[in-house]
Amino acid sequence: MSTTGTTDRGAADPRDGRETAGRLLRAATRSGAHLISEAAALIGGSAVLADPIAGAVYSTPATAASDGVHAAAHPQEHPRHVLRPAAGAVLVLAPAPTAPAEHTALVAATAAALLEVRGQRAAELRAEQMALHTTLLRLLLAGHTTAVTDALGAEGLTHVTVYRLSGRDVPTAHQVLWRAARPSLLAARAVARTLMGRLEGELVVAELHHGCDDGRILRLVSRVSERHQLLAGLAGPLPLAEMATAHADAAAARYSATPAHRVVPADAVGATQLARLLPAAPYARWAGSVLAPLPLALRHLLMVWLRAGSTPRAAAALGLSAGTVRARLRDLGEVLDADLADVTVQAHLLLALRAPTRGEDREESRKPTAGGRGAAAVPSGPARLEALPGGILDTDVARAWAAGLVGGLEPHLRIALACWLRHRAKAAPAATELHVHRTTLAIWLTQCAERLGRNLTDATVRAELHLALEITATDGANDPRALPRRGGRTYRRL
């Protein structure tokens, strides 16, 4: 936030400390912005309150914001600036050349002290405000959208973007993000409102807006995640009525976050490159036939389960017990007539859930063929998840994609990866079938991740790799019995 000066009075007499303190005190009773503006007027220069996460909180004049933030980060490059720590931020003053050093020091010390007082007063109210935010978040998740928008006075805000952050330093990160975002429930005609609170040990941030956000909260979440070593998932924008869906999607996306990519959007999880290469019409027909028996709620449960990679994680993301998720998955297996524990079934399910559903794809699928028969007709017999019908993966484009992904793996790495994936990413049974030590398998999997440039802890990446290995498999190429061996139980690169 930036402000312009509110005072045209020149600098006070440097010998009149009481007048200087009085002017700063009167400004501080109004707002932090007025305090910074008065400090700038008193030194005849600029004043900036720079936060390490949010950047310039207040700046007078507005054009001094970037210079003030840089001075706070690199004080040695700005010897004429006066810096004082204040309320978790840094007060940066750039006095006019004629301003006495003693007067500038007095303004800096007084303004910093008043900012500390304002910060302590805000901290006293913060606990109650945070509790209110948490309550509003719970109401949104329970579907009480109108009650929340009425309480916020934000009837025009129609969409929400949700962030879910986890890590050891969540309490501290909550305080830091609160100070940086400065969420307000009282702003009139705001273009966006931010709610944040801790739910079940994680930090949840919901930004309510008019359909798209300006990226400010995303930038703050990214900086906080990096500084406090958190992992975050984001979902949205979605309509406010779909807050619960966004909440679950953000949790599923968070399980794909890594120290290298700390904030992962939900639409980047499971949105495989392969799905965009498949022929739209037969792909959409097959997916529609497979998923036809499932209502949207169960499709969502399947997607979260496939993204999360395990039942406990899916249960945490959905807010259900692990037993409930297992029971629903058993029912889903019966409805789909498929073994959901099979890695091929899981990979095909992920493809089905990511199939195009746009109107143009449906229209294309209805076009008649040369023989006069509608292309929308489902292939003879019920669609199966164990094997895809012809014309979907058995194409030159799909084979080229698979070869580009896994074609460069050495034989022993390919066999080890295929075996590990068949055992649902469990090292012990895979190592037993390969007749190698688990440490050896772990080394090989690390080498696979490096060669492929992929995160093997991501369940959707594993599904992609399984499909690629199946597409490119020749006779016995993935068979553990074909593992190159040398020296008994010692396996070396040939």
Side-chain angles (χ1 to χ4, degrees):
M1 174 179 177
S2 298
T3 62
T4 56
T6 58
T7 308
D8 291 330
R9 290 174 286 180
D13 185 339
R15 293 169 297 181
D16 191 354
R18 288 185 299 178
E19 173 62 20
T20 298
R23 288 175 59 176
L24 290 171
L25 179 59
R26 287 190 294 271
T29 59
R30 299 178 65 185
S31 69
H34 283 90
L35 175 57
I36 295 300
S37 178
E38 193 66 60
L42 284 168
I43 62 173
S46 65
V48 178
L49 182 64
D51 185 275
I53 298 297
V57 180
Y58 305 118
S59 176
T60 301
T63 54
S66 60
D67 183 64
V69 172
H70 189 270
H74 306 281
Q76 68 279 2
E77 298 179 14
H78 299 266
R80 293 198 68 258
H81 289 57
V82 177
L83 281 66
R84 292 287 189 279
V90 179
L91 175 63
V92 181
L93 301 182
T98 57
E102 296 82 358
H103 175 64
T104 302
L106 174 63
V107 171
T110 306
L114 290 171
L115 286 169
E116 289 286 355
V117 172
R118 288 184 57 84
Q120 292 173 5
R121 183 181 178 188
E124 293 172 357
L125 302 174
R126 192 175 300 156
E128 296 180 3
Q129 292 174 338
M130 287 180 172
L132 178 57
H133 275 231
T134 301
T135 299
L136 292 174
L137 283 172
R138 293 188 186 279
L139 287 173
L140 273 181
L141 289 172
H144 302 293
T145 304
T146 303
V148 174
T149 54
D150 288 347
L152 294 174
E155 293 81 2
L157 304 183
T158 58
H159 287 68
V160 65
T161 301
V162 177
Y163 304 83
R164 294 179 67 170
L165 299 88
S166 64
R168 295 181 179 179
D169 211 13
V170 160
T172 303
H174 188 191
Q175 300 287 336
V176 171
L177 187 59
W178 184 280
R179 288 198 304 269
R182 298 186 301 113
S184 173
L185 304 179
L186 305 175
R189 299 184 299 277
V191 296
R193 298 288 179 84
T194 302
L195 297 174
M196 64 177 71
R198 272 181 279 165
L199 302 176
E200 286 75 48
E202 65 182 13
L203 178 57
V204 178
V205 181
E207 185 180 14
L208 284 63
H209 45 72
H210 294 286
C212 61
D213 57 79
D214 59 6
R216 173 175 171 266
I217 297 300
L218 174 58
R219 290 191 293 273
L220 294 179
V221 168
S222 298
R223 293 170 186 169
V224 168
S225 298
E226 189 66 35
R227 181 179 179 184
H228 295 276
Q229 307 296 299
L230 305 182
L231 300 179
L234 78 91
L238 288 176
L240 267 176
E242 299 183 31
M243 169 69 181
T245 298
H247 187 256
D249 283 352
R254 187 191 61 218
Y255 287 119
S256 296
T258 66
H261 299 88
R262 292 192 175 276
V263 182
V264 175
D267 58 4
V269 181
T272 65
Q273 187 180 42
L274 175 61
R276 296 191 290 271
L277 300 176
L278 302 182
Y283 177 28
R285 286 199 306 275
W286 166 78
S289 177
V290 166
L291 299 177
L294 303 183
L296 290 178
L298 291 182
R299 295 186 192 187
H300 178 66
L301 182 144
L302 267 180
M303 178 60 83
V304 173
W305 176 63
L306 290 169
R307 287 175 176 177
S310 71
T311 300
R313 288 181 172 183
L318 293 165
L320 302 172
S321 69
T324 299
V325 173
R326 290 191 186 95
R328 293 184 183 179
L329 289 174
R330 282 196 299 270
D331 294 341
L332 282 170
E334 294 177 0
V335 171
L336 296 171
D337 190 22
D339 179 12
L340 297 188
D342 184 86
V343 64
T344 301
V345 169
Q346 293 179 10
H348 290 175
L349 260 179
L350 190 60
L351 279 183
L353 291 164
R354 280 296 179 183
T357 57
R358 300 189 302 268
E360 57 265 28
D361 296 322
R362 292 195 295 270
E363 290 299 322
E364 180 184 349
S365 68
R366 294 192 183 98
K367 291 180 181 178
T369 61
R373 302 173 65 183
V378 177
S380 59
R384 302 288 298 175
L385 280 167
E386 290 82 357
L388 296 177
I392 296 182
L393 282 184
D394 53 345
T395 64
D396 291 340
V397 174
R399 283 190 283 268
W401 166 84
L405 182 58
V406 300
L409 286 179
E410 297 155 286
H412 71 290
L413 295 183
R414 178 190 177 96
I415 292 172
L417 179 61
C419 182
W420 180 69
L421 292 173
R422 283 198 305 273
H423 286 282
R424 291 176 289 168
K426 294 182 178 178
T432 299
E433 184 176 0
L434 292 167
H435 297 287
V436 299
H437 195 277
R438 279 180 291 179
T439 301
T440 301
L441 177 59
I443 293 172
W444 287 352
L445 292 175
T446 300
Q447 293 173 351
C448 286
E450 293 172 351
R451 304 276 203 284
L452 299 171
R454 298 297 179 103
N455 175 21
L456 298 186
T457 63
D458 188 328
T460 56
V461 169
R462 296 198 297 267
E464 270 194 353
L465 292 174
H466 173 73
L467 290 175
L469 290 167
E470 290 294 310
I471 292 171
T472 58
T474 56
D475 293 339
N478 297 337
D479 192 339
R481 291 174 295 183
L483 182 68
R485 304 172 185 272
R486 176 182 295 177
R489 290 180 58 82
T490 301
Y491 305 97
R492 299 173 183 167
R493 180 177 176 182
L494 298 181

